[in-house]
Amino acid sequence: MLAQRSCAIFSKASKASTAGLWSSFLRNKSTVAAAGSLKARLAELIPLKQQQLKELKTNHGSKSLGEVTVDMAIGGMRGAKVLLWDTSLLDSEEGIRFRGYSIPEVKQLLPAAVEGGEPYPEGMLWLLMTGEVPTAAQVKSISEDLNSRAVIPEFVEELLDRCPRDLHPMSQLSLALNALQRDSIFAKAYKDGINKKLYWDPTFEDSMNVIAKLPLVAARIYQNVFKGGKAVPVDMSVDYSQNFANMLGFGENKGFVELLRLYLVLHTDHEGGNVSAHTTHLVGSALSDPYLSLAAGLNGLAGPLHGLANQEVLRWILNMNKSLNTNNPTKEQITNYCNETLASGNVIPGFGHAVLRKTDPRYTSQREFALKHLKDDPLFQTVSNMYEVVPQILTKQGKVKNPWPNVDAHSGCLLCHYGLLEQDYYTVMFGVSRAFGVLSQLVWDRALGLPIERPKSMTMDSLTNMFK
Ligand code: CMX
C-alpha cells in the first residue's frame, strides 16, 4: 500500500517506465517509502533534476568552464571546475552555502531542540538531500528512521573490541565501515542485476543505514580506546545527537548535546572538491557501494592537512602550554611559538584553506557558540588570541594564500570545555558529520546517472614536449 502511494507520487513527475521499474523494485525488495517520507520526496524530485541535467547537457554541454593550466595540473587541481556537486557550494569570500543557505540562515531556518538553540542535524540531512527546509515533523521522522536503523552486527562489535588501543580511531572507523559493507543493499542489488535507473534507491537505503550506524561504531571506538565503558542502547524516543552523546557518556550534559548538534551540522559538507568529499564521489563513481565509498573518503579525512587538523590544533596548543608552563599564554608567547613552528618547517594547524580567503564561517559559528556558553574558558582565550596574532604572522611569512582560521581551529577547544579531552578522537566526530553531506550527494550521483570518473593525467615529459 505504502509502496503504491509513493509510486503514485513518482509517476506523476516522471516517465511511466521508470516509475514502473521502481514500483516493481519496491514490491520485490520491500524497500518501502512511506508517503511524506524523505525517500518519497526524493522520488518526486529525482525526475525533475534528471530533466535539469539533460537540459544542461543539451544547451550548454560544449561550453567552456575555464582554462586548465599546467600550474593547475601540478598544483592539486586548484580552481579547476571539473565536478558536479549539488548539496553545497563554497565561495572563497563568503564561505559555504548548504543548498543555497548560509550558516546563519541554516541556524535560523532548521528546526531546533531548544528554542534559539542549535539545529538538528537530521534537518540538515533533509536539506542536503532535497534542497528543502524540513518541518519539525519531517525532522522527527528522520530521527525515528535513523533510530530504527541503528544496529551493528556482533562481528563488527567484536572486530572493534579486538582492535589495539593504539590503532588510531580513524583507522578503526574505516575498518568498521568496510566490515559493515557485508550488509550493503546496493552491492546485493547490483549482484542481483538491478536496473541502473534504480541505483539511487539502494544507495539511499545504504546511506541512511550508514548514517544511523555511525554513532554506534564511533561511540564503541571511544569507549574501547579511552573509557572502557559499555555500549548504551539506542533510545528510540530521542534525537540523533542526544543518542550519540548518550553513547559517548555525555548524555546528561545538555551543553555538550547542543554543541554536538552544532558540530554535526557544521561539518556535513564543504562542496565537492575537498579530499573526503571528492574521494567518496570518486570511489562511488566506480559503483562501489556507500560503505566502501565513505570509508575511502574517511581515509582522506584522516590526513593532517584535512580533517585530522582538528586533533593537531589541540595538540599544538597543549604542547605550547606545556613548553611555556602556562594555561594562558600571552599573545607574545603565542607569536614566538608560531615562529618556532614555521622555522621548523611545520604548518600552524587550523589556519589556511585551499579555497577560502576569509575567516571560515564554520569557525565564526563555533566562536559565537563559545562566546555564548564558555567565554571565560582559558582554552577559548588562547584560541581567541591566536585569531588575533596568527593571521598577521602567516601574512608576514608571505606565501600563505589564506592566513585566516578554518573550521578545525575552533572545534577542539569546545569539545575540551565539555570534557571530551581525547584529541585523537576529534576527527571521528568530523567523519560522522561528513557522512551526511557526501552520502546525500552520492544518492544524487546515482539518481543522475553520473559516470565513472576518469580525468586525464600527463607525464612531465609530455607536458614539456607539448609547449616546445
Ligand atoms: N601554516 C604554515 N604554512 C602554511 C599554512 C599554515 N597554516 N597554510 C599554508 N601554508 C603554506 C603551504 O604549506 C604552502 O607552502 P609551500 O609553498 O612551502 O608548499 C604555502 O603556504 C602556500 O599554500 P596555500 O596555497 O596557501 O595553501 P594550500 O591550498 O596549498 O593548502 C591547507 C591548504 C589547508 C592544506 C593549508 O593551509 C594548511 O596546511 N593548513 C594547516 C592544516 C589545516 O588546518 N588543515 C585543515 C583545513 C580544513 C579542513 O580540510 O578540515
Side-chain angles (χ1 to χ4, degrees):
M1 173 62 185
L2 285 173
Q4 277 168 2
R5 283 177 69 184
S6 50
C7 279
I9 298 166
F10 187 78
S11 58
K12 248 200 298 185
S14 87
K15 288 187 189 130
S17 60
T18 316
L21 274 173
W22 197 53
S23 159
S24 63
F25 177 75
L26 290 178
R27 276 197 298 276
N28 292 339
K29 306 290 172 192
S30 71
T31 51
V32 174
S37 68
L38 175 59
K39 189 170 177 183
R41 186 64 192 130
L42 277 173
E44 289 178 305
L45 293 170
I46 284 169
L48 305 176
K49 285 284 172 186
Q50 286 172 335
Q51 183 59 25
Q52 188 188 355
L53 186 69
K54 202 169 153 195
E55 284 169 19
L56 198 58
K57 277 164 85 171
T58 309
N59 299 333
H60 307 294
S62 59
K63 293 181 184 157
S64 169
L65 283 175
E67 205 186 351
V68 177
T69 63
V70 176
D71 270 347
M72 284 155 103
I74 295 170
M77 297 185 276
R78 285 301 179 286
K81 295 190 185 99
V82 288
L83 284 166
L84 196 66
W85 193 270
D86 259 5
T87 46
S88 66
L89 186 66
L90 183 58
D91 180 83
S92 61
E93 300 292 315
E94 190 205 35
I96 194 69
R97 277 186 179 264
F98 303 103
R99 291 283 190 178
Y101 296 105
S102 67
I103 291 172
E105 285 165 353
V106 160
K107 287 188 65 171
Q108 203 195 351
L109 291 170
L110 290 184
V114 180
E115 210 186 316
E118 307 306 331
Y120 286 112
E122 293 92 319
M124 189 64 167
L125 181 60
W126 187 290
L127 176 67
L128 290 167
M129 285 256 188
T130 65
E132 295 166 350
V133 175
T135 62
Q138 286 166 331
V139 167
K140 191 158 183 279
S141 76
I142 300 277
S143 299
E144 288 166 358
D145 187 6
L146 292 175
N147 285 345
S148 72
R149 297 168 187 261
V151 57
I152 54 174
E154 216 174 288
F155 88 95
V156 177
E157 292 180 347
E158 282 167 13
L159 190 69
L160 288 171
D161 294 349
R162 290 171 73 111
C163 284
R165 283 182 171 212
D166 59 355
L167 180 61
H168 194 279
M170 280 304 281
S171 305
Q172 297 195 33
L173 184 65
S174 172
L175 185 71
L177 261 177
N178 279 298
L180 285 168
Q181 191 268 345
R182 190 195 64 162
D183 295 332
S184 167
I185 297 170
F186 180 88
K188 168 132 197 356
Y190 189 84
K191 197 170 158 210
D192 292 348
I194 183 180
N195 188 306
K196 66 199 307 188
K197 290 185 177 141
L198 301 174
Y199 283 168
W200 75 270
D201 184 309
T203 303
F204 173 82
E205 291 299 329
D206 274 355
S207 297
M208 293 298 279
N209 284 336
V210 167
I211 291 168
K213 290 168 199 302
L214 276 172
L216 277 85
V217 170
R220 199 167 189 100
I221 294 169
Y222 184 70
Q223 293 293 351
N224 281 349
V225 175
F226 303 109
K227 298 286 172 187
K230 287 263 172 286
V232 179
V234 172
D235 180 346
M236 300 304 279
S237 68
V238 300
D239 65 286
Y240 189 84
S241 310
Q242 180 68 61
N243 259 319
F244 190 11
N246 290 349
M247 292 179 220
L248 291 169
F250 291 84
E252 300 291 314
N253 187 335
K254 294 302 160 205
F256 179 86
V257 181
E258 274 289 272
L259 171 63
L260 193 53
R261 292 190 182 111
L262 176 68
Y263 188 102
L264 292 175
V265 163
L266 290 180
H267 291 78
T268 47
D269 209 31
H270 216 225
E271 77 169 30
N274 66 77
V275 172
S276 53
H278 185 195
T279 308
T280 307
H281 172 82
L282 166 68
V283 175
S285 82
L287 298 186
S288 304
D289 59 64
Y291 294 87
L292 298 177
S293 305
L294 180 65
L298 293 183
N299 287 344
L301 193 72
L305 295 189
H306 189 19
L308 204 78
N310 58 9
Q311 106 174 18
E312 295 302 303
V313 168
L314 232 284
R315 185 160 294 156
W316 186 92
I317 293 176
L318 296 181
N319 283 342
M320 169 173 67
N321 288 356
K322 198 171 161 199
S323 78
L324 298 168
N325 200 19
T326 175
N327 281 333
N328 216 347
T330 63
K331 288 180 196 166
E332 196 187 350
Q333 286 175 313
I334 296 172
T335 302
N336 292 339
Y337 198 76
C338 283
N339 286 332
E340 279 173 33
T341 300
L342 294 175
S344 63
N346 287 290
V347 296
I348 300 174
F351 286 78
H353 200 272
V355 180
L356 282 167
R357 295 296 175 257
K358 286 273 165 67
T359 298
D360 189 336
R362 299 172 298 172
Y363 175 94
T364 308
S365 183
Q366 294 180 84
R367 181 172 163 79
E368 282 162 5
F369 184 96
L371 287 168
K372 190 168 160 193
H373 298 286
L374 46 118
K375 67 177 176 12
D376 296 326
D377 185 298
L379 209 47
F380 171 57
Q381 297 297 330
T382 300
V383 167
S384 275
N385 285 336
M386 286 177 72
Y387 191 19
E388 287 187 37
V389 300
V390 176
Q392 292 171 36
I393 298 166
L394 289 177
T395 304
K396 212 164 124 198
Q397 201 203 19
K399 62 178 180 176
V400 178
K401 293 196 190 65
N402 175 41
W404 301 103
N406 59 58
V407 66
D408 299 314
H410 215 303
S411 50
C413 97
L414 301 179
L415 293 168
C416 263
H417 177 80
Y418 291 104
L420 206 152
L421 308 172
E422 299 84 3
Q423 302 121 47
D424 284 15
Y425 190 70
Y426 294 169
T427 315
V428 171
M429 302 182 71
F430 193 155
V432 172
S433 170
R434 186 46 56 103
F436 283 56
V438 299
L439 292 179
S440 295
Q441 181 59 44
L442 200 67
V443 172
W444 279 102
D445 291 352
R446 298 291 75 80
L448 296 172
L450 298 186
I452 187 164
E453 226 181 73
R454 183 51 168 99
K456 176 91 187 90
S457 66
M458 304 289 283
T459 62
M460 283 206 276
D461 285 347
S462 65
L463 284 172
T464 308
N465 290 337
M466 209 167 159
F467 300 106
K468 251 184 189 163

